[in-house]
Amino acid sequence: MSYVNEILERLAAQNPGQPEFLQAVTEVLESLQVVIEKNEDAYRKNAFLERLVTPERIIMFRVPWVDDKGQVQVNNGYRVQFNSAIGPYKGGLRFHPSVNQGILKFLGFEQTFKNSLTGLPIGGGKGGADFDPKGKSDREVMAFCQSFMTELYKYIGENEDVPAGDIGVGGREIGYLYGQYKRLTGQYEGVLTGKGLSFGGSLARTQATGYGLLYLTDELLRCNGKELKGKTVAVSGAGNVATYAIEKAWQLGAKPVTCSDSTGWIYDPDGIDVATLIDVKQVKRARLTEYAKARPNSVYHEGKGVWTTRCDVALPCATQNELLLDDAKALVANGCFAVCEGANMPTSLDATKYLQSQGVLFCPGKASNAGGVATSALEMTQNSQRLSWTFEEVDAKLKDIMVNIFHNVDNAAREYGMEGNYVAGANIAGFLKVADAMNAQGIV
Ligand code: NDP
Ligand code: 2IT
């Protein structure tokens, strides 16, 4: 049996009940087969893959807090410090009821390769809690964040581990987390990214993941003899990534016609109105039914179905496994020719393979959504220089990084005889730098 298959079998036996982690590792290791088999004995002797798929450390802690009724609540908090070969652990915090160790392991594993692809010196990590910020008062969210940080602060630092936002963690939560870190340590340091502009945040970090997704999509299309201008785009999600993906799609001359949240989705024939979306989801923190009320031409559909609209380009920007095989079939039947992931692992493995088999240009999240973490690394640079760059400077660097990522991914796929397979290209290109650093640093 090949070394890769041996590791996959072993991992499945060791991690029952962690399907997302197994899915992420399977996708990566299948791509790496061509690299590993060139030197299989050496990799096996060094237990290289065992080390690659095992987090350096997982911290789990209880998070007690008091709700507005005086009732004590307890949530599970985590930080998965996956791989520090190329830099301090870096990756977001997710607050969502679905959070568990398996999901954070999948996200930390993906983050390791994504961060490598940015070309910047950041290792891979992820954390969060099974806390649901929905329906909570600001005071409750603050109480939760303070309690969460009271445990987490022991394990993070500007040269050690630098968390940021993810699902359910935006500017409000980062502010509360930062305030508590500073209070506990007395340090004013770049220990979190996605901070507010008045306390060390970077211009363009808020927009970076969505903008970066569109910069990469634009380059992907251009290099395949197509263009984004004039195209209809289906977007899922209505949070940070989706909102700024929609804004940049408009700016590049495309028409984004859908968005979705955890209860339903919107089709707007006039194109999604960014100001209305921001008002509904960021200011009112309401459901998308409010968007439909504000935009009478739009249609709200309860439940799933965002991939059933006619579109040229699809950008899944909500969560993992939100684009399944039937969705992929519907997209292809409706003429969709490119899918670029804004979320982490939104497309299931069989859906990805189907899209690729149908000639759809498919870019995996670890390449196409890397603009967020890349701009976080730019925030770290500004913090350590004690300088702030302009929006235009950061945006220009982001665009360069995304264009470079696309070409590195494209070149890696060609070099290993899989031209156009951007999944393989991203996994291989991300892996090579991490592997080089791990090998140079000995058995650690
Ligand atoms: P937000 O919390 O801002 O938005 C998430 C959106 O997805 C919301 O509209 C939410 O619906 C919807 N959603 C969340 N979970 C589900 C679910 N289980 N089913 C259906 N819809 C769901 O998060 P982000 O925009 O930051 O993150 C979106 C994705 O992008 C995630 O996969 C994240 O890991 C990834 N990502 C984020 C980056 C960042 O910089 N923020 C960087 C790179 C990747 P509702 O409004 O109802 O809550
Ligand atoms: O998935 C991701 O890349 C993020 N949530 C952003 C991480 C970061 O450190 O900015």
Side-chain angles (χ1 to χ4, degrees), residues 141-219:
V141 171
M142 181 172 73
F144 178 81
C145 288
Q146 290 179 340
S147 182
F148 184 86
M149 185 52 87
T150 300
E151 204 51 44
L152 184 69
Y153 89 96
K154 300 166 192 166
Y155 311 102
I156 62 175
E158 63 178 344
N159 295 311
E160 194 177 352
D161 184 351
V162 184
D166 194 79
I167 290 177
V169 178
R172 174 182 60 170
E173 290 75 18
I174 292 291
Y176 294 147
L177 290 163
Y178 190 75
Q180 185 72 354
Y181 180 86
K182 185 164 61 63
R183 186 182 187 198
L184 289 165
T185 62
Q187 299 294 312
Y188 208 104
E189 61 178 37
V191 67
L192 295 169
T193 58
K195 298 184 292 298
L197 297 178
S198 55
F199 57 99
S202 173
L203 285 161
R205 173 61 188 89
T206 304
Q207 295 85 353
T209 311
Y211 279 21
L213 171 65
L214 269 293
Y215 292 145
L216 186 139
T217 304
D218 197 32
E219 187 69 4

Side-chain angles (χ1 to χ4, degrees), residues 127-360:
D130 59 356
F131 170 74
D132 188 357
K134 268 207 200 82
K136 304 288 191 299
S137 68
D138 280 354
R139 195 211 59 81
E140 288 176 320
V141 171
M142 181 172 73
F144 178 81
C145 288
Q146 290 179 340
S147 182
F148 184 86
M149 185 52 87
T150 300
E151 204 51 44
L152 184 69
Y153 89 96
K154 300 166 192 166
Y155 311 102
I156 62 175
E158 63 178 344
N159 295 311
E160 194 177 352
D161 184 351
V162 184
D166 194 79
I167 290 177
V169 178
R172 174 182 60 170
E173 290 75 18
I174 292 291
Y176 294 147
L177 290 163
Y178 190 75
Q180 185 72 354
Y181 180 86
K182 185 164 61 63
R183 186 182 187 198
L184 289 165
T185 62
Q187 299 294 312
Y188 208 104
E189 61 178 37
V191 67
L192 295 169
T193 58
K195 298 184 292 298
L197 297 178
S198 55
F199 57 99
S202 173
L203 285 161
R205 173 61 188 89
T206 304
Q207 295 85 353
T209 311
Y211 279 21
L213 171 65
L214 269 293
Y215 292 145
L216 186 139
T217 304
D218 197 32
E219 187 69 4
L220 164 77
L221 264 50
R222 207 181 55 74
C223 293
N224 282 281
K226 300 182 189 304
E227 62 173 359
L228 198 52
K229 198 161 176 234
K231 299 296 182 296
T232 300
V233 181
V235 178
S236 67
N240 173 267
V241 180
T243 302
Y244 297 100
I246 288 169
E247 183 169 89
K248 186 52 79 177
W250 278 119
Q251 289 173 11
L252 296 179
K255 185 175 177 187
V257 292
T258 64
C259 62
S260 68
D261 67 11
S262 48
T263 55
W265 60 284
I266 292 281
Y267 174 75
D268 190 334
D270 305 324
I272 297 293
D273 184 63
V274 176
T276 307
L277 184 62
I278 288 177
D279 183 55
V280 170
K281 296 305 291 189
Q282 291 180 31
V283 181
K284 298 189 177 121
R285 297 186 188 269
R287 294 181 47 189
L288 283 176
T289 41
E290 296 302 310
Y291 179 99
K293 282 185 197 154
R295 300 267 296 175
N297 274 350
S298 71
V299 188
Y300 174 80
H301 301 266
E302 193 76 18
K304 294 186 188 296
V306 70
W307 308 124
T308 58
T309 33
R310 204 210 68 74
C311 66
D312 302 304
V313 175
L315 305 174
C317 297
T319 192
Q320 64 273 1
N321 291 327
E322 52 156 326
L323 199 167
L324 307 178
L325 184 58
D326 284 346
D327 303 315
K329 288 183 177 166
L331 283 171
V332 171
N334 280 323
C336 172
F337 63 79
V339 175
C340 293
E341 296 184 326
N344 286 308
M345 207 171 73
T347 315
S348 62
L349 280 173
D350 54 357
T352 301
K353 285 186 178 150
Y354 177 78
L355 291 168
Q356 289 176 318
S357 75
Q358 298 300 304
V360 173

Side-chain angles (χ1 to χ4, degrees), residues 394-408:
V394 180
D395 191 37
K397 286 184 179 19
L398 167 65
K399 190 169 179 188
D400 269 4
I401 290 169
M402 297 315 294
V403 168
N404 274 334
I405 290 176
F406 173 71
H407 288 286
N408 288 341

Side-chain angles (χ1 to χ4, degrees), residues 64-117:
W65 56 282
V66 183
D67 72 16
D68 284 347
K69 296 188 186 112
Q71 173 66 47
V72 176
Q73 303 284 347
V74 181
N75 288 97
N76 294 326
Y78 308 84
R79 186 72 180 164
V80 177
Q81 297 183 328
F82 217 107
N83 191 305
S84 63
I86 66 171
Y89 309 106
K90 181 85 197 85
L93 296 171
R94 178 177 292 191
F95 291 170
H96 192 272
S98 63
V99 163
N100 59 38
Q101 195 168 300
I103 287 186
L104 295 177
K105 277 168 68 184
F106 120 61
L107 289 163
F109 183 73
E110 286 282 294
Q111 197 81 44
T112 302
F113 300 94
K114 180 196 304 192
N115 293 2
S116 168
L117 285 172

